[in-house]
Amino acid sequence: MSINPLPNGRHPTNRELQLMRLGYTEYQPRLISIQKNNPERYSAVMDGRKRFYQHGWVCPTCVNSERYTRNLACVYCAGQRIGSCFTILEGGLSMYTPTSEERSAMYQRRRQEIMYQRDLRQRITALGEIQCGWWKFRNNEFVGENLAGKSIRLSLNEPDAFTVRTLRKQDACFASIWEHVHNSLKIPDLTIAPTTE
């Protein structure tokens, strides 16, 4: 069973919209939900459009009805905000000027998260496929079998902490590959149970 990469409430990225359109199974529940709840957005996603007109919806700020397919933001309002936040410098560079400290902190957090995820993806790609016993690490996942012979897939980003702790105690191969991947990528192991004094 694969982990849903796009839970409700999280906006899809442009890449995830493309994967939906291409029919990747893990994105199909979200695509079916979009089709059911917003047919106009669904048509735009399937056509590869970045914008669509939603009949029956009006932006409370500017009274327009054109929205972005990705995050449902009002196209006009978003365009106005971009112009007020970013200044184009010579050479095509841009400078971000926050409209408030809170928005600036949110923007900086998003930028840092994007940069961290991009760097982590590059390090995972460079690491390649690793095998230890009957366990493999590939494409951001640990794939193998537990001692009962049941197939298991664990995501590096969102592992089941209880399963990881159990496997590390019972399976030396899993413990080795888990520690090797975390040490090689220099990322913290968030599944370690806190010690009680």
Side-chain angles (χ1 to χ4, degrees):
M1 181 177 169
S2 63
I3 294 172
N4 180 5
L6 193 54
N8 285 335
R10 201 190 106 199
H11 294 306
T13 62
N14 287 324
R15 173 74 177 143
E16 286 168 333
L17 287 175
Q18 184 181 21
L19 294 175
M20 281 183 194
R21 200 165 48 249
L22 292 172
Y24 280 70
T25 53
E26 62 268 33
Y27 293 99
Q28 293 314 295
R30 186 64 176 272
L31 186 61
I32 291 166
S33 174
I34 291 172
Q35 183 180 20
K36 179 181 168 188
N37 297 313
N38 195 332
E40 292 157 331
R41 182 184 185 197
Y42 172 79
S43 295
V45 168
M46 296 310 288
D47 291 345
R49 287 182 278 139
K50 293 190 176 182
R51 304 170 174 193
F52 71 103
Y53 284 97
Q54 184 171 351
H55 300 292
W57 178 84
V58 175
C59 174
T61 307
C62 68
V63 199
N64 283 310
S65 61
E66 188 178 15
R67 303 176 91 173
Y68 282 112
T69 309
R70 191 184 74 74
N71 62 6
L72 298 177
C74 171
V75 171
Y76 180 80
C77 290
Q80 295 299 313
R81 193 182 74 74
I82 290 168
S84 67
C85 293
F86 289 92
T87 306
I88 306 299
L89 305 173
E90 288 183 31
L93 298 173
S94 63
M95 182 178 75
Y96 175 67
T97 309
T99 54
S100 73
E101 288 301 318
E102 183 184 356
R103 281 185 177 267
S104 175
M106 288 168 52
Y107 173 77
Q108 297 302 334
R109 273 197 304 274
R110 283 197 311 270
R111 292 292 305 156
Q112 294 235 328
E113 179 66 23
I114 289 167
M115 289 168 60
Y116 173 77
Q117 291 300 330
R118 191 176 296 154
D119 176 61
L120 181 59
R121 277 195 302 271
Q122 288 174 346
R123 286 186 282 151
I124 288 171
T125 302
L127 192 60
E129 184 175 305
I130 298 171
Q131 182 162 355
C132 182
W134 46 87
W135 284 95
K136 285 184 181 177
F137 176 76
R138 65 174 176 241
N139 298 332
N140 209 30
E141 282 188 324
F142 295 90
V143 181
E145 294 181 354
N146 64 11
L147 295 179
K150 181 180 176 187
S151 294
I152 293 180
R153 295 176 95 82
L154 291 166
S155 167
L156 177 67
N157 297 333
E158 297 177 3
D160 175 4
F162 176 77
T163 303
V164 169
R165 286 195 294 267
T166 304
L167 284 168
R168 288 180 75 181
K169 286 179 189 172
Q170 298 174 352
D171 189 332
C173 290
F174 178 79
S176 295
I177 198 169
W178 180 266
E179 288 167 15
H180 176 74
V181 167
H182 280 76
N183 291 336
S184 299
L185 296 176
K186 296 180 176 58
I187 57 175
D189 184 354
L190 302 177
T191 64
I192 297 173
T195 55
T196 53
E197 296 292 324

